[in-house]
Structures are given as structure tokens and as C-alpha cells.
Amino acid sequence: MNEIRYHRRTYTMGPTPIQKLERLSEALGGPSIWIKRDDLLGLTAGGNKTRKLEYLVSDAIRQGADTLITCGAVQSNHCRLTLAAAVREGLRCQLVLSKPELGEHDPLASGNHLLFHLMGVEKIELVPADADLQVAMENLSQAAEKEGRKPYIIPLGGSNQIGSLGYMACADEIEQQAMADGTPFDFVVTGTGSGGTQAGLVAGFLARQSNTKVIGINVSGTREGKETQVRDLLYRTAALTGLQGKIPDDAVRCDDQYVGAGYAIPTEEMVEAVKLVARTEGILLDPVYTGKAMAGLIGKIRKGELTREDRVLFLHTGGTPALYTAPQLFLSHQ
Ligand SMILES: Cc1ncc(COP(=O)(O)O)c(C=O)c1O
């Protein structure tokens, strides 16, 4: 008997749509491009963390937790969605937020920061950019335990083997949609931060023995560092799911050419990509993740790394609330 059991809450009704981006493909003179609209996932304002949280929050509830604790940047999408899941489940939520490396944190900032307050976050601990987020979360957890509460810590980005199950399930969803539409994809392009999205997708395609390759576009860090991080998570996800067979050496591919000066620091290519997709398809990307991921896709087409014959699926991982925190980047008529 198979001993493996997956426990999942459901925060989205049905699969997210896959749309063909004909005008964008035409503007780039490149491959056929489709987009998977994970920005339309359930919970407040959607995005990739919703899939991870379906498994993580289920685990928390099974352990009897009454408080979710997680961490991220001051405009963290993951924190917004963890809080939204907590609200949905009647749990409380505390956040550790790291201050930006450059510039000051604005206590009246819009975007995700506004939503933390709107959705009634219980506590925000603002820590310096170089603080140890894990230690800060454990301190909050111990304080909650002293009050007789049952806290559950969700790691940065929801990226552990439980969270990655959400993107294994997404790979399955993509394969089913591809079967139905007759559109097997050669490549899926996604932004990579904490790595759980990419690791889960790779695990899911390997489990299905699919030929679809995943290209991670770094939003921070080096290629080597990110590949090590994603591969480690892939192995842990494979162990949890009993994924049979060998994981090929080149299963994890990351590209660090589109990060620019660092995490959340804008690049010209990102601004061009966000504008191009808005103006050809009317779809909103974000400046921190999907804008840089799309800049990577465009760069790869221009360099000839993706050709006219390729069928490419861009994963829209969400994040659009952050768009409204950066009007100075996009308020122009050009
Ligand atoms: C909008 C968006 N896209 C992509 C990512 C990266 O996903 P992962 O952390 O699983 O690599 C994040 C992570 O916070 C995100 O918020």
C-alpha cells in the first residue's frame, strides 16, 4: 500500500487559465508564447503562494495551530497571502518583515503593506535587512507559546517540501491542460526567489515523465547559489513524494542575468518588459518578480536562446500589488 498522503485546503476553484499571447509573440518576432495566469489564483489578489499555502496551512491545521508566523520583505506577496489564508481559516497571523537594503521603509506605503493592515495582521516585527529571519520568527513563536497559543512557522516564501507540493500539483495541471489543448510546452519560464515554485514544477514534470523543461529567472542571487538551493529543495520534495527514478543533472536551470543590482532593485529591462506586456496584452506584471522574469524571457528570445519553433509557457506568479508602490517607474507616455 502507498503510505504517502497529501493533505490540502482548496483556495482556488478549478485550474488557472492558459492564454496565448499572440501580440507579444508577434512584437518579439519570437516563439509561441502562452501565459499561465497564477495571478488569478484564490486568496487576496492571487499569486503563486496560494498554491503552496494550500498544503502548508493544511499541515498547520492538522497540527492544531491557531497562529501562522512567517517572514518576508516589506512588500512581501507571501506575507500578504499567508495572512489572507489565516483570515480565511480563522487563524491569527504574525509577520517578520525585513527592511529594504536601500532607502527607508514608508509606514504609509501602499501595495502589500496596505493589505497587511487592511486584513488585520496581529503583529508586524520590522527587522534590519541583514537580520536572521528564522531567529526572529522563532522568538515570536516562543512568545506566542508562552501565552498558551499554538504557533506554526511557515518558512520564507513558503519554500519547503510541503509548500513545493503546490507546484508539483501545478505541473500536473499544466500537463492536463496541454493534453486537452494539444499544446505540450517545451519550456516553462518562471521567476525564482526562494525556489519552491521552480523545485515543485521540476518535480511535477519529472513525476509525469514530461519533456517540458523549467527555466528559472533569478530575482536575486547568483546562478550557482540558486541552482544549489532549488536542487536541494527538489531532492527534499522528491523524498517526500516518493518520486521514483534519477533526477537528471541538468534538471535545475537558473539564469542570473536579469537580477540587476539586486532583489527588488528596478532594471531598465524590467520596466520595458512590464510596459510591453501591458501594452500588447493588457496584462499587469510586477516590478520585483514577474517583470524581471519576463525581461529574462525577452532577453533569451533576443539572444536566440529561444527560437521561433519553441513553445514557451510563462508562469505569471502574481505580485501585482507591488506595481502600485512604484508609479515613478511607469508614469510616462513612452
Ligand atoms: C510574485 C512572485 N513571483 C515569484 C516568486 C518567487 O517564487 P519562489 O519564492 O517560489 O521562488 C515570488 C516569491 O515571493 C512572488 O511573490
Side-chain angles (χ1 to χ4, degrees):
M1 195 181 70
N2 187 347
E3 294 297 325
I4 299 169
R5 298 281 180 277
Y6 303 121
H7 299 282
R8 176 180 185 173
R9 306 288 297 159
T10 302
Y11 298 137
T12 309
M13 299 305 290
T16 56
I18 290 182
Q19 290 170 237
K20 195 162 189 199
L21 301 183
E22 284 180 4
R23 288 179 199 284
L24 179 67
S25 299
E26 196 184 310
L28 294 169
S32 303
I33 304 172
W34 284 260
I35 191 166
K36 174 125 177 103
R37 299 292 306 272
D38 271 13
D39 56 317
L40 302 180
L41 284 166
L43 298 178
T44 312
N48 62 342
K49 304 305 181 224
T50 297
R51 289 192 192 268
K52 300 182 184 184
L53 287 161
E54 290 190 332
Y55 291 89
L56 288 162
V57 176
S58 175
D59 191 46
I61 291 170
R62 283 169 54 78
Q63 291 189 28
D66 56 17
T67 307
L68 302 180
I69 297 175
T70 198
C71 65
V74 282
Q75 280 293 340
S76 167
N77 299 303
H78 165 67
C79 288
R80 180 235 313 153
L81 285 165
T82 301
L83 170 59
V87 170
R88 170 76 75 89
E89 301 288 3
L91 307 174
R92 282 185 275 183
C93 180
Q94 302 186 357
L95 303 174
V96 173
L97 301 181
S98 61
K99 289 183 189 165
E101 278 173 42
L102 294 178
E104 279 304 299
H105 169 56
D106 174 5
L108 291 178
S110 177
N112 289 312
H113 177 263
L114 165 67
L115 300 178
F116 300 153
H117 291 275
L118 192 58
M119 287 191 281
V121 64
E122 186 187 19
K123 191 184 253 181
I124 289 181
E125 181 116 339
L126 203 56
V127 298
D130 59 356
D132 187 327
L133 299 176
Q134 188 60 33
V135 169
M137 288 196 293
E138 276 158 20
N139 289 341
L140 283 183
S141 177
Q142 280 161 17
E145 272 170 2
K146 277 199 191 127
E147 291 170 17
R149 311 245 303 256
K150 281 277 283 174
Y152 181 95
I153 295 180
I154 295 181
L156 182 75
S159 281
N160 61 15
Q161 57 275 34
I162 298 174
S164 288
L165 292 176
Y167 271 89
M168 265 191 96
C170 178
D172 236 44
E173 191 175 299
I174 293 170
E175 286 287 297
Q176 281 174 29
Q177 288 171 302
M179 285 290 278
D181 298 350
T183 316
F185 299 103
D186 298 305
F187 299 100
V188 173
V189 175
T190 186
T192 291
S194 59
T197 303
Q198 186 173 353
L201 285 173
V202 173
F205 287 126
L206 284 175
R208 278 215 166 219
Q209 296 183 311
S210 161
N211 288 326
T212 303
K213 303 270 179 279
V214 182
I215 302 174
I217 307 292
N218 287 20
V219 299
S220 59
T222 62
R223 181 176 67 77
E224 296 77 11
K226 210 57 95 182
E227 286 183 352
T228 304
Q229 187 182 331
V230 175
R231 205 174 292 117
D232 176 58
L233 200 43
L234 171 60
Y235 281 114
R236 283 192 280 141
T237 310
L240 176 69
T241 56
L243 183 60
Q244 301 296 318
K246 234 176 115 236
I247 296 175
D249 289 342
D250 65 350
V252 174
R253 300 196 226 172
C254 296
D255 189 331
D256 60 8
Q257 296 299 296
Y258 304 92
V259 177
Y263 173 75
I265 301 176
T267 62
E268 271 176 37
E269 293 86 350
M270 175 279 289
V271 173
E272 184 207 358
V274 173
K275 284 184 178 172
L276 185 64
V277 175
R279 291 169 190 195
T280 52
E281 302 287 350
I283 293 175
L284 302 181
L285 301 179
D286 82 285
V288 180
Y289 296 95
T290 51
K292 285 188 179 173
M294 181 56 80
L297 170 54
I298 295 170
K300 285 182 176 298
I301 294 170
R302 291 187 179 148
K303 287 181 193 163
E305 292 171 23
L306 293 170
T307 68
R308 269 186 177 283
E309 287 68 45
D310 290 325
R311 299 158 79 88
V312 181
L313 179 67
F314 179 81
L315 181 65
H316 192 329
T317 48
T320 40
L323 199 53
Y324 305 102
T325 65
Q328 72 286 358
L329 293 175
F330 304 105
L331 273 177
S332 90
H333 295 292
Q334 283 143 40

